[in-house]
Amino acid sequence: MLDAGLKTQLQGYLQNVTQPVELVASLDDSAKAAEMKGLLEDIASVSGGKVSVRLDGDDARKPSFEIRRTGTDIFVTFAGLPLGHEFTSLVLAILQVGGHPPRIEADLAEQVKALDGDFLFETYFSLSCQNCPDVVQALNAMSVLNPRIRHVAIDGALFQGEVEDRKIMAVPTVFLNGESWGQGRMGFEEILAKIDTGAAAREAEKIAAKEPFDVLIVGGGPAGAAAAIYAARKGIRTGVAAERFGGQVLDTLAIENLTGTPHTEGPKLAADLERHVRDYEVDIMNLQKAARLIPGKQPGDLIGVELENGATLKSKTVILATGARWRQMNVPGEAEYRNKGVAYCPHCDGPLFKGKRVAVIGGGNSGVEAAIDLAGIVAHVTLIEYDGKLRADEVLQRKLKSLKNVDIITSALTTEVLGDGGKVTGLTYNDRGTGTSHTVELEGIFVQIGLVPNTEWLAEGGVALSPRGEIEVDAKGQTSVAGVFAAGDATTTPYKQIVIAMGEGSKAALSAFDYLIRLAPAEVEAQAA
């Protein structure tokens, strides 16, 4: 099942197992069950006796297996073969059940251990989803820390009957004690905050008590991470308030144009960015969404950033790096059927539409790439483009047009998402040439029409915005407000690319430092008072 190279790597990892582990399989006579048996036996064969296999499991889901600490009630469950993006989740689960501590801050681990109640989580994932491992790994770690938390990770493509019954049309989808609980990427801290209902108030109180920063960065994507590193290296007090560290990079699959890194994936890059930032004395405040900017009355005054939880952070300078998000169609039915057939990540959710008909909205590179990917999974793809022609690179267009199960419709304006109350059943569009309306029957719609900057919260902060809502910046990253700088996809800087965001974030940090050292001594003393 596993090749020789992977077995050698796995053998090295399993040396960290300190307590015996049993892999308890519940199998049927399917081909997948035979593959699972082979996988588990391969793992045990390189464990040096630390991992054993049992074939007497009685789980109703077959094929599935438990990873159990021998003689205890500590275990996690996988229903399906956790390969692809989930292979790392499998290895981590074995290590953690086997006594190797999760890489979690001590206060968060104690918070999990103190949770009162019985929690049964079920996470539906797909092997091609880059967002799913974060959820699977977080809930697995929690179940190891607190035995009253149970977690089952379920391959939606293998258990399609459950997916249909539970009307799951996006991954990851999480159920808690049998009820729908959450969808989409969630990290450890976010899941914990959602379980522990008192955590937000405690965190707000903690944040409100913080001393003013020299530079406060709002946003934790490539621009924010680069700004934090450059600021911290100057020896100044640096803070980062981020809704989710990594930003939109977390939703990106393959990255092949980052200079010096021929290939990486978004979640890995995001983890690398956070790890690099944490090498310095940076105060990272995750899961914090900015609500309002409070500029100083004159240059040199402290600047405030009010968060949605009610706390206000203060700083001598602020760098805005809030990035952008997927643009929505804003047509009737889109919001109602989001995650019920309307999706924005073809890599994550594509496998759930196997054998079905879908549409891709958008004829740029992202839209055409999505249509090509989906054509290998679904029965049929209809690509709908507003313009009179596709805007993607010619090589992508040639590939798309060679596919037999793809239709391309140009000069078309999508006007409505149709559904039966539970799921998408089609869409309507207007032919911009003739004005006639048409209906396409389908089960899924993947929206790929660009980005919109996350700047709505700046409406009252005095920061000048472009007609597109982007933060206007000069060559140094300075905004229209003294002491407030900006970088990345939220700004007017052209070309929304990771490498450009990193450069702009670095520049903004250097500009903020230059601003600080040029403040008059009296102004510095006033801020410190």
Side-chain angles (χ1 to χ4, degrees):
M1 182 68 188
L2 300 177
D3 61 37
L6 202 51
K7 282 184 177 180
T8 300
Q9 283 185 301
L10 189 58
Q11 185 175 26
Y13 291 135
L14 294 180
Q15 297 306 306
N16 294 308
V17 172
T18 60
Q19 300 188 49
V21 173
E22 294 177 326
L23 305 178
V24 185
S26 300
L27 304 176
D28 52 21
D29 58 0
S30 66
K32 285 295 182 184
E35 287 184 52
M36 180 176 290
K37 181 174 179 289
L39 172 64
L40 301 185
E41 289 175 343
D42 278 355
I43 293 170
S45 71
V46 297
S47 71
K50 296 181 178 184
V51 178
S52 60
V53 177
R54 287 172 40 194
L55 304 179
D56 58 349
D58 58 359
D59 196 307
R61 289 190 181 96
K62 295 181 174 62
S64 65
F65 65 96
E66 292 178 1
I67 303 172
R68 179 179 287 274
R69 184 178 298 173
T70 304
T72 75
D73 59 354
I74 296 174
F75 68 95
V76 301
T77 305
F78 284 96
L81 283 167
L83 300 175
H85 287 291
E86 293 299 341
F87 187 70
T88 300
S89 303
L90 168 61
V91 175
L92 286 174
I94 294 173
L95 294 179
Q96 291 166 8
V97 171
H100 189 66
R103 293 182 61 181
I104 297 162
E105 293 181 23
D107 59 337
L108 295 179
E110 290 304 315
Q111 190 178 343
V112 172
K113 293 175 182 178
L115 288 173
D116 186 25
D118 294 307
F119 306 88
L120 171 58
F121 287 99
E122 298 166 289
T123 301
Y124 289 84
F125 67 86
S126 73
L127 296 178
S128 61
C129 170
Q130 76 272 22
N131 293 327
C132 296
D134 277 5
V135 177
V136 172
Q137 291 167 24
L139 288 170
N140 280 348
M142 288 182 181
S143 67
V144 171
L145 291 167
N146 185 337
R148 296 184 70 182
I149 300 173
R150 296 280 183 249
H151 181 227
V152 185
I154 305 160
D155 182 356
L158 190 58
F159 292 89
Q160 290 226 338
E162 291 187 34
V163 168
E164 295 288 342
D165 290 344
R166 286 181 152 179
K167 297 180 172 57
I168 298 167
M169 306 194 75
V171 290
T173 290
V174 182
F175 284 75
L176 172 57
N177 296 335
E179 300 294 329
S180 181
W181 185 79
Q183 287 182 318
R185 173 184 291 278
M186 293 179 283
F188 190 98
E189 291 178 78
E190 187 174 356
I191 292 171
L192 181 55
K194 193 171 180 179
I195 300 172
D196 186 353
T197 54
R202 295 195 302 271
E203 186 65 14
E205 185 177 349
K206 180 180 174 182
I207 287 174
K210 291 181 183 289
E211 295 295 321
F213 293 94
D214 292 315
V215 58
L216 173 65
I217 299 145
V218 185
I229 291 166
Y230 269 73
R233 287 175 62 87
K234 291 294 185 181
I236 57 179
R237 179 167 159 73
T238 303
V240 177
E243 187 172 358
R244 57 172 189 161
F245 204 97
Q248 197 185 19
V249 164
L250 290 165
D251 302 324
T252 304
L253 186 59
I255 299 171
E256 298 177 339
N257 57 356
L258 184 59
T259 309
T261 305
H263 177 84
T264 188
E265 295 183 347
K268 181 181 184 304
L269 178 59
D272 289 343
L273 290 173
E274 183 170 1
R275 193 157 39 244
H276 194 174
V277 172
R278 289 188 184 277
D279 284 343
Y280 300 94
E281 293 185 6
V282 176
D283 188 345
I284 297 178
M285 296 158 280
N286 208 5
L287 307 183
Q288 301 304 322
K289 187 174 183 179
R292 187 164 66 103
L293 180 72
I294 308 169
K297 294 182 179 179
Q298 59 186 8
D301 286 351
L302 287 174
I303 301 160
V305 174
E306 183 181 323
L307 305 176
E308 280 199 346
N309 63 16
T312 297
L313 292 165
K314 293 185 178 181
S315 183
K316 298 173 185 176
T317 62
V318 170
I319 297 174
L320 307 173
T322 47
R325 62 187 183 276
W326 291 115
R327 185 180 299 277
Q328 299 183 10
M329 297 182 292
N330 292 320
V331 299
E334 180 181 18
E336 180 183 355
Y337 291 103
R338 182 167 187 171
N339 295 326
K340 297 178 181 178
V342 176
Y344 300 85
C345 179
H347 301 295
C348 303
D349 301 331
L352 297 178
F353 293 84
K354 183 178 180 180
K356 298 180 180 180
R357 300 159 298 171
V358 304
V360 173
I361 312 300
N365 281 349
S366 60
V368 172
E369 287 173 349
I372 293 170
D373 288 344
L374 289 165
I377 302 171
V378 304
H380 188 270
V381 179
T382 301
L383 186 142
I384 298 176
E385 163 59 28
Y386 178 83
D387 203 350
K389 60 181 180 180
L390 300 182
R391 295 167 287 107
D393 295 341
E394 186 60 35
V395 64
L396 294 175
Q397 293 191 43
R398 287 198 300 270
K399 174 64 176 176
L400 181 70
K401 292 172 182 177
S402 73
L403 301 175
K404 295 181 180 180
N405 63 335
V406 175
D407 287 337
I408 300 171
I409 302 173
T410 56
S411 296
L413 172 64
T414 303
T415 53
E416 186 175 1
V417 173
L418 306 176
D420 61 6
K423 62 183 184 300
V424 166
T425 59
L427 63 77
T428 60
Y429 72 88
N430 285 341
D431 185 317
R432 296 177 57 236
T434 65
T436 56
S437 179
H438 303 267
T439 298
V440 181
E441 294 183 355
L442 41 76
E443 290 79 34
I445 301 169
F446 290 83
V447 183
Q448 301 282 288
I449 55 175
L451 304 171
V452 57
N454 296 317
T455 58
E456 293 87 350
W457 66 284
L458 294 170
E460 299 177 1
V463 173
L465 304 177
S466 74
R468 294 169 57 90
E470 297 170 325
I471 303 166
E472 294 184 351
V473 292
D474 65 13
K476 292 186 175 182
Q478 172 71 55
T479 71
S480 59
V481 175
V484 178
F485 302 82
D489 289 0
T491 73
T492 51
T493 300
Y495 313 119
K496 312 306 184 188
Q497 298 290 311
I498 293 171
V499 69
I500 292 174
M502 288 178 171
E504 293 296 305
S506 306
K507 181 170 66 177
L510 294 174
S511 296
F513 179 72
D514 184 68
Y515 174 88
L516 286 171
I517 63 177
R518 294 174 188 277
L519 285 175
E523 293 173 334
V524 176
E525 291 174 6
Q527 291 195 63

